């Protein structure tokens, strides 16, 4: 696998005159707003990158954007890969391996998620404190390449505490309401039944979504620091589970974009 990762990283570095981002960003559903804030230097479609999987979901573009955000060199993935699309865990997380190979040590991830915490409102911003992996697999299954990371990975602080504190301070300073909570990752593509939302809340999760967990596991495997945020686009609160559609998820995510963008921009200023 190392050879494939090196090949992709090498291609990106060649195409960008050896531009060296320090932060990787994975942009989730409807969070494209951040892209408009990037001073774009290079755009590379996934189709041009050797060994990269391709994106199939409506509303997800498939390209890497390299440039400056808050004056810091970043690499943003516009379009990510999901388990429900049929990719395996290694394919989904391949771009994170490539980021690490390029020298990126910090990862910022965003997603849309359904909220189970009864204190949550529609459109709530949630800083991810921790996760529960209920995907039917794990990207680290199989022979471990010790040059990429350890066989048995410590996950006691998957989401960097320092970054979470900084994000909370930024939110407070800018009068942005944020919550902190546990994200539970599932394969999808079904949204949850009321019984599933209830079960996940009882398991200790505040929100549920179909991404992020695989990428974060691999980022941690590579020793990267991670910051993650969810936009609560629908509510799966006991007794109040409503109809949910992809369109509705995108609509709510888009409406909340500017707040999330501001937090991430300010955070990058501090950590980049
Ligand atoms: N469940 C799973 N994934 C999601 C949801 C949800 O309710 N909302 C947005 N992504």
């Amino acid at each position: 696998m190392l050879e494939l990762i090196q090949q992709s990283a090498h291609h990106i570095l060649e195409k960008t005159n050896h531009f060296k981002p320090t932060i990787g960003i994975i942009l989730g559903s409807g969070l494209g707003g951040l892209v408009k804030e990037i001073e774009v230097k290079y755009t590379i479609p996934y189709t041009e990158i050797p060994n990269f999987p391709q994106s199939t979901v409506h509303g997800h573009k498939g390209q890497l954007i390299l440039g400056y955000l808050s004056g810091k060199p970043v690499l943003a993935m516009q379009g990510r890969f999901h388990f429900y699309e049929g990719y395996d865990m290694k394919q989904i997380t391949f771009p994170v391996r490539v980021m690490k190979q390029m020298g990126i040590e910090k990862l910022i991830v965003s997603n849309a998620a359904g909220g189970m915490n009864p204190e949550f409102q529609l459109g709530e911003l949630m800083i991810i404190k921790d996760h529960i992996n209920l995907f039917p697999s794990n990207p680290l299954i199989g022979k471990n390449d010790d040059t990429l990371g350890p066989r048995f990975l410590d996950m006691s602080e998957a989401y960097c505490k320092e970054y979470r504190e900084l994000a909370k301070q930024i939110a407070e300073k800018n009068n942005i309401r944020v919550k902190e909570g546990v994200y539970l990752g599932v394969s999808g593509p079904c949204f949850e039944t009321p019984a599933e939302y209830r079960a996940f809340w009882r398991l200790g999760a505040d929100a549920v979504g179909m991404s992020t967990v695989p990428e974060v596991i691999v980022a941690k495997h590579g020793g990267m620091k991670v910051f993650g945020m969810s936009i609560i686009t629908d509510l799966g609160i006991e007794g109040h589970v409503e109809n949910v559609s992809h369109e509705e998820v995108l609509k709510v995510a888009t409406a909340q974009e500017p707040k999330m963008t501001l937090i991430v921009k300010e955070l990058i200023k501090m950590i980049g």
Side-chain angles (χ1 to χ4, degrees):
M1 181 159 68
L2 184 59
E3 213 168 286
L4 297 177
I5 297 165
Q6 283 170 338
Q7 215 174 40
S8 305
H10 184 71
H11 178 89
I12 297 164
L13 290 169
E14 275 214 321
K15 287 276 168 196
T16 59
N17 238 327
H18 288 257
F19 184 78
K20 277 280 193 184
T22 56
I23 299 180
I25 309 168
I26 303 176
L27 304 163
S29 281
L31 306 180
L34 199 57
V35 170
K36 291 184 222 122
E37 308 283 332
I38 300 175
E39 187 195 322
V40 180
K41 293 286 174 199
Y42 305 95
T43 303
I44 313 177
Y46 296 160
T47 46
E48 288 180 12
I49 307 171
N51 316 320
F52 245 61
Q54 310 302 326
S55 194
T56 64
V57 190
H58 177 70
H60 290 255
K61 278 194 192 134
Q63 56 187 19
L64 290 186
I65 293 171
L66 296 95
Y68 293 94
L69 184 58
S70 306
K72 314 284 183 184
V74 301
L75 177 155
M77 282 182 72
Q78 197 176 25
R80 61 141 60 102
F81 305 105
H82 299 87
F83 195 73
Y84 61 75
E85 292 174 87
Y87 299 109
D88 67 33
M89 291 299 230
K90 296 246 187 311
Q91 290 175 305
I92 292 166
T93 55
F94 186 79
V96 179
R97 293 283 188 208
V98 174
M99 287 182 195
K100 170 69 190 183
Q101 182 67 30
M102 291 173 66
I104 295 173
E105 300 282 355
K106 295 157 190 165
L107 181 69
I108 296 178
V109 289
S110 64
N111 59 54
M116 284 88 70
N117 186 327
E119 289 179 7
F120 283 2
Q121 302 171 353
L122 203 62
E124 195 85 70
L125 298 183
M126 186 186 90
I127 294 169
I128 306 177
K129 180 166 65 180
D130 203 349
H131 76 217
I132 296 172
N133 180 19
L134 281 193
F135 279 86
S137 189
N138 184 304
L140 305 184
I141 285 176
K143 194 172 181 311
N144 190 60
D145 182 339
D146 295 337
T147 63
L148 298 178
R151 167 76 291 184
F152 299 105
L153 177 63
D154 172 65
M155 289 291 279
S156 57
E157 193 185 313
Y159 299 83
C160 177
K161 184 149 196 295
E162 181 201 341
Y163 292 178
R164 284 188 274 129
E165 292 306 320
L166 287 172
K168 278 189 270 184
Q169 285 168 20
I170 293 163
E172 197 178 352
K173 218 180 185 176
N174 291 280
N175 280 320
I176 297 171
R177 174 180 154 129
V178 288
K179 302 274 180 175
E180 214 178 8
V182 173
Y183 176 93
L184 183 144
V186 291
S187 72
C190 301
F191 289 115
E192 286 63 37
T193 63
E196 286 166 340
Y197 284 123
R198 187 173 64 232
F200 295 161
W201 167 243
R202 290 187 182 169
L203 268 183
D206 298 285
V208 55
M210 308 173 195
S211 66
T212 303
V213 166
E215 295 104 314
V216 170
I217 289 172
V218 163
K220 293 308 290 178
H221 193 239
M224 295 164 84
K225 280 191 172 181
V226 176
F227 175 75
M229 262 186 104
S230 301
I231 294 183
I232 305 303
T233 54
D234 53 278
L235 296 173
I237 294 169
E238 205 164 348
H240 304 277
V241 179
E242 287 181 0
N243 214 327
V244 45
S245 68
H246 186 53
E247 288 66 34
E248 187 62 22
V249 165
L250 290 179
K251 201 174 102 190
V252 177
T254 305
Q256 294 302 84
E257 240 176 52
K259 292 184 208 163
M260 177 107 123
T261 302
L262 191 148
I263 294 172
V264 169
K265 265 171 63 181
E266 291 299 311
L267 184 68
I268 287 175
K269 240 183 237 173
M270 295 173 171
I271 69 171

